[in-house]
Amino acid sequence: MTTFSVQYDVIIIGGGPAGMMAALSVRHHHPDYSVAILDKTHELGRKFLTSGAGRGNLTNVHLEENPVAYFHGDAHFITSVFSQFGYRDIMAFFDELGVPTYEEKKTSRGKIFPEIDHAKTVRDMLVDTLGEHHIEIFYNVAITALVLSADYWTVETNDGSYTGRYIIMTAGGKTYPSLGADGSGYDLAAGTGHTIVTPVVTAVPIVSKNQLSHFMQGEKMVMEATSIIGGVNGTTAVGDVMFTQYGFSGPAIFDISHDFSVRINRENKRDAKIRLSFFPNKTAGEVKAILDKRLSVHATLPVAHSLWGLFTQKAAGAICAVAGLPKERLSGELNPQEYDKLFGVLTEFTSEVTDTRGWNEGEFTAGGVATDEVDAGSLASKKAKRLFFAGEILNVDGQVGGFNLSWAWSSGWVAGKLLETV
Ligand SMILES: Cc1cc2nc3c(=O)[nH]c(=O)nc-3n(C[C@H](O)[C@H](O)[C@H](O)COP(=O)(O)OP(=O)(O)OC[C@H]3O[C@@H](n4cnc5c(N)ncnc54)[C@H](O)[C@@H]3O)c2cc1C
């Protein structure tokens, strides 16, 4: 092991999207400062490479809409960052970088991707740009401790110590720890006096043993999904739901999984349920009209056959089985109780949620550095001098669709201004 001491104006801990952007922001706002990124893995932005299934979900057209698409009690904290570097700035940044973009129209979610649909190329362009701006990158350097003395931070690592006047902490969250961010950033932040809101995995599949998932395993449908926490309706999302052997997955589940994860993994409560409707955005009356028409047109066929077309044969059979209908029950012979049960499965199928899947299956972390100890305007620590935070290490997580990467780019830019407040 080598032991050495290097002095920089700014040391950035973690070279994900937030760290890379913070470095470029420092260079923009403080052209004379020496800047180093230290990262514990052998390449930068490994998590970014997985985003958008390898395409790179850069941002979202709905980024600055109200209400904000973030799970955070303090909207001001979020908007103060995006008011300094928002959707237009992110788009202009990638335009200037040389990355043409497009809005994916397959869904109305407003996801922005690079036209080349290839995150790795974009990541390599970012790394090239860091080099062009003389930002030093140290790979395979894991930070183990931060010590503040009068004028400098000493950064202890697995490979000697570094010193810097300013620290920007961009060590990420805890999901997919093999990609670099493994929660060690929280320990570093706690060591500087910061409170860590218990991190829990989110945008994650949920465990909910139920008959519908059992019969529909492998099927995928656009549905309305609602979390019910302690008997109270939580978040509702419309999108694909995938039926799995353990319960549910898919974008609509990811969107409401925050509620389940916080309740189960942080608050240790076992009172969460999910409610699903096969008819998103339709009133009970509209669903009834659809069902009645099908049952009467196909009165001499089994009920499941009346549902074919709306659903696959497998899904129609599963719905009828869960409603407890005998296979041979004809559409014209449903009694009122059977009709009500069928209607209930179609519009408000409810199942207990007992757990979430783990850190290796979730996309984001909810929790992290408590934001009331960080200045909303500058992202400077209120606890320690010349310390800044950006990206997923902060207790900010957004919905699926480019909101988390947007947070990383924008908060990285704001932190890189190095506006001192302490
Ligand atoms: C499978 C998957 C899919 C995703 N898809 C999307 C998507 O489609 N849209 C979207 O907006 N977001 C998506 N995300 C989330 C998004 O990738 C993250 O929110 C974003 O990467 C966070 O950026 P960051 O820079 O804060 O942290 P990270 O990208 O996690 O970077 C942190 C860096 O810090 C380094 N580091 C950590 N600890 C230390 C230490 N002690 N010493 C030195 N270095 C350290 C790590 O090696 C890493 O390089 C996805 C995430 C995953 C896992």
Side-chain angles (χ1 to χ4, degrees), residues 140-163:
N140 301 311
V141 175
I143 288 84
T144 51
L146 289 172
V147 183
L148 179 63
S149 46
D151 297 323
Y152 288 98
W153 283 95
T154 303
V155 180
E156 305 288 356
T157 82
N158 62 332
D159 196 21
S161 61
Y162 296 68
T163 54

Side-chain angles (χ1 to χ4, degrees), residues 9 24 42 97 160 256 342 345 364 402-403:
D9 290 306
L24 293 172
H42 60 281
L97 188 68
I256 65 170
L342 177 62
V345 175
F364 323 132
F403 295 101

Side-chain angles (χ1 to χ4, degrees), residues 14 16-18 39-40 50 52 57 141 143 171 176 180 184 363 392 402 404-405:
D39 198 286
K40 68 197 277 286
T50 67
N57 179 196
V141 175
I143 288 84
Y176 284 76
S184 53
E363 293 190 358
E392 202 172 321
N404 290 281
L405 281 165

Side-chain angles (χ1 to χ4, degrees), residues 50 109 169 186 226 250 254 277 279 291 305 345:
T50 67
R109 280 175 164 260
M169 287 264 286
Y186 302 133
T226 302
F254 282 16
S277 169
F279 292 92
L291 186 59
H305 294 227
V345 175

